[in-house]
Amino acid sequence: MVSVSLDNSKERWKTAIAQNNSSWLEISDLQGWESAVCNKHNVSRLPYHVLLNPKGEIVKTAISNQELVKVLKEVL
């Protein structure tokens, strides 16, 4: 699991990671909604889930929370 933050503030981003007790990779370019990730993948809402295959290739984008939970239950 990888989380991409859309924070503009490094301090707020680090605080959120600590508060959420995240055990997965957290990345950010600290550019908020101007992030290259948003532009490349047309992110317009949060959360925005991207499903990757074992090769790291994008299988599906903009997955709903319900669909993500279903897929994770099947995989895990």
Side-chain angles (χ1 to χ4, degrees), residues 3-68:
S3 290
V4 178
S5 170
L6 296 182
D7 280 300
N8 292 351
S9 163
K10 186 174 184 175
E11 293 76 28
R12 284 188 301 202
W13 174 49
K14 294 284 187 177
T15 299
I17 292 170
Q19 288 175 343
N20 293 336
N21 198 25
S22 299
S23 59
W24 53 82
L25 179 61
E26 300 263 359
I27 60 174
S28 180
D29 61 8
L30 300 174
Q31 298 300 308
W33 285 97
E34 300 302 316
S35 170
V37 171
C38 290
N39 294 323
K40 182 175 182 178
H41 297 288
N42 299 314
V43 175
S44 60
R45 63 179 170 79
L46 296 176
Y48 185 86
H49 306 294
V50 178
L51 183 61
L52 304 175
N53 67 17
K55 294 179 182 178
E57 301 164 330
I58 295 175
V59 175
K60 188 169 183 179
T61 61
I63 303 167
S64 69
N65 285 343
Q66 292 98 350
E67 188 175 3
L68 180 63

